[in-house]
Amino acid sequence: MGLKKNQTLRIYIMISIRKAKPEDTAVITDFQLKMAWETEEIKLDTLIVTKGVKAVFEDPSRGQYYVAESNGIVISSLLITYEWSDWRNCNVWWFQSVYVTPGYRRKGVFRMMYTHIKKLAEENDIAGLRLYVETKNTKAKKTYEALGMSTEHYAFYEWMRK
């Protein structure tokens, strides 16, 4: 049975979101190396990034990773870190290290992850969700704005040791 003229074949991809496990270290490390290169053309040291990812699993006070899977293969990851808000007497969660594999971009994967994390935040009395984005990453900015996030209140400044 073939498609008739002007018919569209829709393919649905089953995606699940879960908290990452230490066994996901290699894929999360790989995603971080790729993201640094894609967004800023920075070549990170694999050993240092691997140690950094493992450090989160070894000490949950540093954050928690979440991954998206399709057919048992990790296709996306992100890191949630914590900021204490004395104004609200609770934490704010920061999205960091967001990466979606190229073949799954613009298919709603990050939206699914964001929705999952937002629900967890609401269930756990978290004040809000924040993230920062590389200033030239216009696709990511549009994605975040489409989810209702804004840049209205704060500008981001940093000092980073070289």
Side-chain angles (χ1 to χ4, degrees):
M1 174 189 239
L3 291 178
K4 296 179 184 175
K5 191 175 183 178
N6 297 327
Q7 277 187 316
T8 302
L9 175 63
R10 294 181 192 263
I11 299 173
Y12 295 95
I13 302 166
M14 295 299 296
I15 295 173
S16 60
I17 312 298
R18 65 170 171 81
K19 194 168 183 178
K21 302 177 278 197
E23 298 87 330
D24 298 312
T25 296
V27 72
I28 292 170
T29 299
D30 182 56
F31 287 173
Q32 296 319 297
L33 297 171
K34 289 176 179 173
M35 179 185 54
W37 182 254
E38 287 177 23
T39 59
E40 302 178 46
E41 292 189 353
I42 294 173
K43 184 168 175 36
L44 298 176
D45 182 294
T46 304
L47 183 59
I48 291 172
V49 175
T50 301
K51 287 179 180 180
V53 171
K54 286 180 178 180
V56 173
F57 290 114
E58 292 165 1
D59 181 358
S61 71
R62 290 185 167 132
Q64 53 189 325
Y65 284 105
Y66 286 85
V67 297
E69 289 183 317
S70 178
N71 296 320
I73 297 173
V74 175
I75 59 168
S76 180
S77 67
L78 60 80
L79 171 62
I80 298 297
T81 58
Y82 320 111
E83 170 193 355
W84 179 253
S85 173
D86 55 354
W87 286 15
R88 294 170 176 89
N89 191 33
C90 61
N91 277 315
V92 173
W93 282 354
W94 279 83
F95 285 89
Q96 296 191 60
S97 304
V98 175
Y99 187 81
V100 179
T101 55
Y104 288 90
R105 293 179 187 163
R106 313 301 306 160
K107 295 184 179 357
V109 174
F110 178 75
R111 176 179 294 275
M112 290 174 57
M113 294 183 84
Y114 175 85
T115 301
H116 181 81
I117 299 300
K118 186 176 178 190
K119 182 175 185 248
L120 291 174
E122 291 168 345
E123 292 169 355
N124 289 282
D125 195 33
I126 300 303
L129 303 173
R130 291 183 171 152
L131 57 81
Y132 57 89
V133 61
E134 200 278 327
T135 56
K136 295 175 187 152
N137 193 342
T138 55
K139 287 181 182 179
K141 287 179 178 182
K142 288 179 184 177
T143 296
Y144 305 143
E145 289 166 7
L147 291 169
M149 299 183 92
S150 72
T151 60
E152 294 174 17
H153 299 292
Y154 301 101
F156 179 83
Y157 291 86
E158 72 176 2
W159 171 86
M160 296 295 290
R161 184 178 67 198
K162 296 285 181 187

